[in-house]
Amino acid sequence: MKVSVRTRRTFVAAAAAATMLTLAACGPGDSGEGDGGGDAGGDGGTTTVGFVAVGPEGAWRSANEQNIRDTFTTDAGYDLKYAPATNLDQKSQIDAFTSFVDEGVDVILLSATEGSGWEDSLTRAQEAEIPVILIDRGIEPDDDSLYVTRIAPDNIEVSKSVANWALETFPDGAKYFTLEGPAGVSVVNERNEGWDEVVGAESSFTKVGAQTANWSTDEAKSVVETVLKANNNDIDLIFAQNDEMGLGAALAIEEAGLTPGEDVKIATIDGTKGALEALSEGRLSFVAEYNPLFGDTAVEAVTSALEGADVDSYIIVPSTTFDSPEAATEALPDRKF
Ligand code: AHR
């Protein structure tokens, strides 16, 4: 799935084709612009951006969506229409997407709560000459002819960094359990793919099991409580696919009378303040950042797409890792999310 620069292409190519169609349909007198979008900044230069967002879902999501909203400002020439999902429900996202297409916005940003089920919506946007940019989440099956670009850190490489740390930390192997995000979300599959590519190949590592805890601290706590009981506390490592779930695992380990970081080590993905604080205290053992602050990159992609310039179909946002309390303590003062 992931390549650093997949294909350079221009949105215009597809748009031009659709324009011809529209113009043909509308007849001589009518430009067709304004009817179903594509009129980037036609009205005095303001670019209307429809943001089909996820909404409340934890610290990472809040940081990412706030960063997008703080970047696409009116001062910068944007009219950002923020449409968070209702209770993470995909139908509410598809409804918002459809109304943005009908309204004729200039560009759509999409953070999909579910990977599958977007073909029809994306095709409609394409026919309406509205470029779509995926924010963080991918679509499945991944058909990059249906969108301009995806902007996100590289989930497979981020997850591999956690797996490589696990191999170094447990040279004789380990019994581990994976806390996954919600089923059907692209990043969950990508993070499993990266982890399995590294740890899956190691016979000394035993997978006790995996279960979704829906990015939630409370759900992760109860899942890990059950896993510890079922295994007589004989678990060496928890791989939590996000920080909130890792913090839930730490609570469960403490409630079992064990010490997180010593009896059971926890590795997480995201890199939020709460996780770095827990790492600085030794309650977490490794945190791989999944950088949410890429609003500026999104503005560049929107500008390029609307100008018909080349846009990489996958723009990878750089991320780092934290493997010690010292590294976390050092990063905390300037942490923005
Ligand atoms: O899609 C990214 C994931 O969504 C983050 O890792 C998680 O915290 C968020 O809810």
Side-chain angles (χ1 to χ4, degrees):
M1 150 135 193
K2 177 240 16 121
V3 294
S4 55
V5 175
R6 235 184 278 164
T7 55
R8 287 180 176 271
R9 51 158 190 236
T10 58
F11 176 71
V12 174
T19 304
M20 305 316 292
L21 284 171
T22 315
L23 286 174
C26 297
D30 175 343
S31 72
E33 297 195 19
D35 303 11
D39 118 319
D43 54 352
T46 300
T47 299
T48 54
V49 180
F51 184 14
V52 180
V54 171
E57 193 197 45
W60 189 94
R61 185 65 52 195
S62 308
N64 175 254
E65 297 194 352
Q66 194 56 51
N67 178 250
I68 299 279
R69 299 169 76 182
D70 292 346
T71 311
F72 286 86
T73 60
T74 44
D75 293 351
Y78 296 98
D79 172 13
L80 182 92
K81 300 172 186 295
Y82 177 61
T86 312
N87 304 325
L88 303 177
D89 171 38
Q90 185 185 34
K91 182 172 178 323
S92 66
Q93 286 202 314
I94 290 176
D95 292 347
F97 192 106
T98 303
S99 61
F100 284 145
V101 171
D102 295 344
E103 195 183 313
V105 298
D106 295 310
V107 62
I108 292 175
L109 307 179
L110 170 63
S111 287
T113 58
E114 303 250 350
S116 60
W118 286 101
E119 293 80 3
D120 294 353
S121 300
L122 293 171
T123 303
R124 284 199 65 234
Q126 209 164 46
E127 286 160 0
E129 310 157 29
I130 299 174
V132 175
I133 290 176
L134 305 183
I135 298 292
D136 166 34
R137 300 277 176 81
I139 57 164
E140 293 177 341
D142 181 36
D143 175 356
D144 63 13
S145 73
L146 290 174
Y147 58 85
V148 170
T149 186
R150 177 185 177 189
I151 307 175
D154 182 333
N155 282 281
I156 295 177
E157 290 307 318
V158 167
S159 205
K160 278 185 182 175
S161 72
V162 184
N164 287 318
W165 164 85
L167 294 193
E168 283 158 27
T169 305
F170 297 95
D172 304 325
K175 289 180 75 172
Y176 74 91
F177 188 89
T178 300
L179 290 167
E180 296 179 346
V185 171
S186 67
V187 301
V188 171
N189 302 331
E190 293 160 354
R191 291 173 188 182
N192 277 334
E193 186 180 333
W195 173 271
D196 293 342
E197 220 171 282
V198 175
V199 166
E202 288 297 320
S203 57
S204 60
F205 275 69
T206 308
K207 184 173 186 173
V208 170
Q211 190 176 333
T212 183
N214 295 310
W215 306 130
S216 148
T217 296
D218 293 347
E219 286 190 46
K221 181 171 178 287
S222 63
V223 168
V224 173
E225 280 167 0
T226 308
V227 170
L228 288 172
K229 284 199 186 81
N231 292 277
N232 301 319
N233 294 343
D234 182 18
I235 299 281
D236 303 307
L237 170 65
I238 302 279
F239 168 39
Q241 288 193 342
N242 87 330
D243 290 346
E244 276 89 352
M245 296 191 292
L247 297 172
L251 294 171
I253 290 163
E254 285 154 349
E255 290 223 348
L258 303 170
T259 306
E262 289 171 21
D263 302 313
V264 185
K265 292 187 188 311
I266 305 164
T268 72
I269 292 178
D270 274 352
T272 56
K273 263 198 204 113
L276 292 188
E277 281 156 4
L279 177 56
S280 71
E281 298 153 1
R283 298 177 67 241
L284 295 182
S285 299
F286 185 85
V287 176
E289 179 184 74
Y290 186 73
N291 184 352
L293 308 181
F294 50 83
D296 292 340
T297 307
V299 163
E300 286 165 24
V302 164
T303 307
S304 299
L306 294 176
E307 286 170 352
D310 277 0
V311 182
D312 300 329
S313 62
Y314 192 137
I315 300 171
I316 295 172
V317 177
S319 289
T320 186
T321 60
F322 302 91
D323 61 1
S324 69
E326 296 72 30
T329 306
E330 199 183 319
L332 272 167
D334 306 328
R335 204 68 182 157
K336 294 194 177 49
F337 61 92

